[in-house]
Amino acid sequence: MKHGEDDFCEPIDDGVIVPEVEHAPLIPPHKDPDAMDRWWLENVYCGDKMPQLTLRAIVSGMLIGGLMSVSNLYVGLKTGWGLGVTVTSCIIAFAVFKALEAVIPAYRKNPFSILENCTMTSAASAAGYISSAGLVSSIPALYLTTGHPMSPLQMALWLPALVILGVFMAVPLKRQLINIDQLPFPSGTATAATLKSLHSSGAKAILQAKVLALCTLLGALVKMWADLWTPAMLALGRVCHSDLLAVFAEKGALPSEIPFFPGKTAHRWLSSYTLGFEGSVLMIGAGAIMGMRVCVSLLVGSIFFFGFMGSYLESHQIITINPANPYRSIVEWTVWPCVALMVTSSLTSFALRWRTIVRSFSGLASIFGKAAKEKSPIAHLEIPGWWFFTGFIVCGFFCVLFGHWFFDVKWYLGVLAVLLTFILSIVAARATGETDITPIGAMGKITQLTFGMIESSSTTNLMTASITAGAASQSADLLTDLKTGYLIGTNPRRQSIAQFFGVIAGVIVCVPIYSTIVKMPVFDPNAPVATAAATEEKTEGKSKQAPAVEQTNLMTSEFPAPAAAVWKSVAELLSKGIDNLKKGTVLAMIIGGIFGILLALGEEFLPSKYARWLPSATGLSIAGTIPGTNSVAMFIGALIAWIWSKMHQRSADDFVVAGASGLIAGESLMGVAINLWQAAPALIAAIFQAMHR
């Protein structure tokens, strides 16, 4: 599933494309919904013939999803993008249980079934996409805007409330969008085809799993070398700088002393404007998955924003580049035209899908009308309607309650946010079903713009939009999983239950890791709460020792957090106006906004043979909000994958996604482990200090 290809404000899967599998399972259409349900029950459903909601399926889904949630969190904070979860997780689970069958006799007698694998995938995807609930966007943006962090306890309560709200949102939509309308949900269909392929002949899956494992090991070793070995050797004075890789490990550097500009060398120019090559296989893997169009746009955009505009802004004394953090010095200006480009492009694309929007609301009568109340032949398998009403009321109540307690969001604005979430989730679900694109960014921006006109508080703006984006993301994710289950014959009620376990796993794993790796204060009972009132006091100089934003490594080359930067910028613009912007940013925003509209219109109306040569609005937008080193590395990865596909298409289709996912997972998981190891002494001291108090 592509989370918001027209926007990178959430971890997205633009280009995280599942491999194409021939002979995808299809359900023949019927005019009568009941006839279609009976045909499905007789010819596809096999939930009573083999195990599905088993302990091993749930546990493996939570474990695999927990690991992938860490990887998605790390990648999202670095690039704003997210990994595909479903196909990778089902391959891993299949390979693991095949290996267990070889050594455990009980597993040979009772092999891991296709329905168990589908259930496992539902739990894993719910955990893996937990970062889309705000951990890479609204929550870090809140800290960057107010200087007040959310405590781990606050996040542990806030995230499940809005994520589970999204799960319940999918309940009334499932029968209409999947059973009756037969929307394709491309990622769900491809996952079903992959599962059928795995469980019919798994030789290729075993080989893919081996490639994934080897690349994971390689990614972990590269990260260990770059973050542990090289700094240690530098401290001892034992690194030879003629060693090409050792130089690359110094982020932003290239071993070149060729004059580029008068008075500057290529080395100075590249390092000052972050355009060198960072020794990161994670970015290479991400580029291999994203594809050439996006990555060429990233490269062109990074050269323009950092190479040209960075040099121009410095020479005209509009910005002053801090040698210790040149990225942040430049991005504080470039983020504004990128925000304008992204917002206008995403909202224009969203508006051009007006037919999808109309169909979304025209289907409401079918969802809640008389037809929905009639007894379906598979009603005993479907998710009961009372789940939706109960879950909507309970989770909506907690979203409003926590929003008021934690962020000082007025209760009636919280209620409005929950109601708006329901409406926009319907649109997002149909958009995902028809196009495989979940317009999370557009959903969030609509909420931000709506509440920007009602309330001037940045905190209210950010956290109401977080409800919309987080719930819409999980609703679309569950429907994509349910499409997979529908095609292979699972029990949808049991499959939905797995989603709740996945949410629990994602929260348990991601919340403490997020608080640690971004260097936010944790376990401090005296830390002020991130409320709108606290923000206003801070603005008036009344805040009492609020944690300084500079304490975090957000919006640095380590964690650029491009999604958070965009959410922060939009919230500040809506609350403070344009008076405090730097010189030239208003004109740049106008140009960026017009360019975003033109790109969206071109993609919609130009013939495909011309439209495919247009730059990606997503790629151009993200290029100005992440270090140029990241864009260069991602372009290299895309170029390698493109050359591979031209030389041998079949092997590229089989192994590019597996290998690239392994590189990403290995480096990201090792990066988190190193961060936790380095933070351990301070973390333990903070725990003991809190206990002593």
Side-chain angles (χ1 to χ4, degrees), residues 84 253 531 638 654:
T531 64
D654 289 343

Side-chain angles (χ1 to χ4, degrees), residues 396-409:
F397 169 77
F398 280 111
C399 284
V400 174
L401 180 66
F402 294 150
H404 181 68
W405 278 0
F406 300 158
F407 315 115
D408 201 26
V409 176

Side-chain angles (χ1 to χ4, degrees), residues 317-672:
Q317 299 181 340
I318 297 174
I319 64 172
T320 301
I321 292 183
N322 178 4
N325 190 0
Y327 159 72
R328 187 161 188 174
S329 304
I330 299 171
V331 81
E332 287 180 348
W333 192 95
T334 60
V335 68
W336 293 104
C338 291
V339 166
L341 192 158
M342 177 274 299
V343 171
T344 58
S345 174
S346 62
L347 293 181
T348 302
S349 297
F350 182 71
L352 290 172
R353 295 174 189 150
W354 62 271
R355 292 183 180 86
T356 295
I357 299 172
V358 170
R359 285 193 293 271
S360 300
F361 294 111
S362 64
L364 282 176
S366 299
I367 294 169
F368 294 107
K370 182 180 179 181
K373 299 177 183 178
E374 295 175 355
K375 189 77 170 178
S376 163
I378 58 173
H380 62 292
L381 304 175
E382 295 285 12
I383 308 164
W386 66 266
W387 283 28
F388 163 71
F389 292 106
T390 304
F392 180 77
I393 292 171
V394 173
C395 293
F397 169 77
F398 280 111
C399 284
V400 174
L401 180 66
F402 294 150
H404 181 68
W405 278 0
F406 300 158
F407 315 115
D408 201 26
V409 176
K410 296 179 177 65
W411 69 267
Y412 56 87
L413 294 180
V415 172
L416 179 60
V418 171
L419 295 176
L420 185 61
T421 296
F422 173 67
I423 295 171
L424 295 180
S425 290
I426 295 172
V427 178
R430 181 167 285 273
T432 303
E434 292 183 355
T435 68
D436 208 33
I437 299 171
T438 307
I440 302 173
M443 303 291 99
K445 293 301 158 289
I446 289 172
T447 312
Q448 281 194 280
L449 293 171
T450 300
F451 284 91
M453 294 184 290
I454 300 173
E455 180 83 20
S456 62
S457 167
S458 296
T459 305
T460 298
N461 188 285
L462 287 168
M463 303 322 289
T464 51
S466 176
I467 296 173
T468 299
S473 168
Q474 286 296 326
S475 179
D477 174 49
L478 176 56
L479 286 167
T480 301
D481 292 338
L482 289 173
K483 177 67 175 184
T484 301
Y486 181 73
L487 292 173
I488 65 173
T490 63
N491 183 308
R493 192 177 302 189
R494 296 171 190 166
Q495 194 178 354
S496 299
I497 293 172
Q499 198 94 359
F500 295 106
F501 288 98
V503 171
I504 294 169
V507 171
I508 290 174
V509 172
C510 277
V511 166
I513 287 178
Y514 169 83
S515 298
T516 303
I517 66 174
V518 300
K519 295 182 171 59
M520 286 189 178
V522 292
F523 302 121
D524 185 357
N526 296 324
V529 178
T531 64
T535 305
E536 292 169 3
E537 288 182 1
K538 183 183 174 187
T539 304
E540 298 171 3
K542 301 176 184 177
S543 182
K544 298 180 180 180
Q545 298 180 348
V549 172
E550 286 72 18
Q551 291 177 342
T552 185
N553 55 5
L554 293 170
M555 288 189 71
T556 65
S557 58
E558 183 176 4
F559 289 121
V566 172
W567 281 60
K568 168 183 177 288
S569 300
V570 172
E572 288 182 342
L573 184 64
L574 292 171
S575 62
K576 298 178 182 178
I578 63 175
D579 297 336
N580 297 323
L581 298 180
K582 294 191 176 195
K583 180 181 177 182
T585 50
V586 175
L587 177 61
M589 289 176 67
I590 294 172
I591 295 172
I594 293 173
F595 194 53
I597 294 172
L598 293 175
L599 283 177
L601 293 174
E603 289 187 358
E604 180 71 17
F605 297 111
L606 283 177
S608 58
K609 63 179 180 180
Y610 300 121
R612 66 191 184 95
W613 293 103
L614 288 174
S616 162
T618 304
L620 291 177
S621 300
I622 202 171
T625 59
I626 62 175
T629 52
N630 292 358
S631 297
V632 171
M634 285 190 276
F635 171 75
I636 292 172
L639 183 62
I640 292 171
W642 181 77
I643 293 173
W644 185 355
S645 67
K646 294 299 180 183
M647 294 177 64
H648 199 280
Q649 181 72 47
R650 188 179 184 85
S651 63
D653 289 344
D654 289 343
F655 301 115
V656 163
V657 172
S661 298
L663 294 176
I664 294 167
E667 182 170 332
S668 58
L669 293 174
M670 181 55 66
V672 169

Side-chain angles (χ1 to χ4, degrees), residues 92-351:
I92 293 173
F94 179 82
V96 167
F97 281 100
K98 273 294 181 185
L100 290 174
E101 288 175 22
V103 295
I104 301 177
Y107 279 15
R108 285 197 294 273
K109 296 178 182 177
N110 184 23
F112 194 60
S113 73
I114 186 173
L115 299 193
E116 286 179 294
N117 204 339
C118 183
T119 302
M120 180 283 308
T121 300
S122 295
S125 66
Y129 289 129
I130 201 72
S131 56
S132 67
L135 283 174
V136 300
S137 54
S138 58
I139 291 175
L142 178 70
Y143 182 52
L144 292 168
T145 303
T146 67
H148 296 267
M150 286 184 70
S151 71
L153 177 60
Q154 289 174 334
M155 285 187 281
L157 294 172
W158 174 252
L159 290 173
L162 59 93
V163 169
I164 295 176
L165 175 66
V167 172
F168 284 117
M169 292 286 190
V171 171
L173 304 177
K174 188 266 179 183
R175 185 165 191 264
Q176 180 65 37
L177 300 185
I178 295 177
N179 299 30
I180 299 174
D181 292 348
Q182 291 286 308
L183 296 186
F185 285 92
S187 288
T189 301
T191 303
T194 302
L195 284 167
K196 282 182 170 288
S197 176
L198 290 176
H199 289 268
S200 57
S201 60
K204 186 172 72 175
I206 297 295
L207 189 54
Q208 287 176 323
K210 289 179 180 178
V211 170
L212 190 146
L214 289 173
C215 289
T216 300
L217 178 62
L218 175 61
L221 291 175
V222 168
K223 189 63 176 176
M224 287 180 64
W225 163 78
D227 281 15
L228 295 179
W229 176 256
T230 298
M233 293 296 100
L234 278 171
L236 296 174
R238 295 174 61 182
V239 170
C240 175
H241 284 276
S242 62
D243 182 345
L244 199 61
L245 290 178
V247 178
F248 283 173
E250 298 173 31
K251 298 177 180 180
L254 264 180
S256 174
E257 298 293 338
I258 303 172
F260 197 92
F261 285 152
K264 293 183 180 179
T265 63
H267 183 284
R268 165 79 175 84
W269 186 74
L270 292 169
S271 61
S272 295
Y273 304 120
T274 75
L275 283 173
F277 172 73
E278 178 183 349
S280 168
V281 293
L282 182 152
M283 296 299 168
I284 292 176
I289 293 176
M290 289 177 189
M292 279 295 286
R293 178 172 177 255
V294 172
C295 289
V296 168
S297 301
L298 281 168
L299 181 66
V300 171
S302 65
I303 293 173
F304 174 77
F305 285 117
F306 288 93
F308 175 73
M309 289 304 302
S311 178
Y312 177 85
L313 294 169
E314 184 186 29
S315 63
H316 286 73
Q317 299 181 340
I318 297 174
I319 64 172
T320 301
I321 292 183
N322 178 4
N325 190 0
Y327 159 72
R328 187 161 188 174
S329 304
I330 299 171
V331 81
E332 287 180 348
W333 192 95
T334 60
V335 68
W336 293 104
C338 291
V339 166
L341 192 158
M342 177 274 299
V343 171
T344 58
S345 174
S346 62
L347 293 181
T348 302
S349 297
F350 182 71

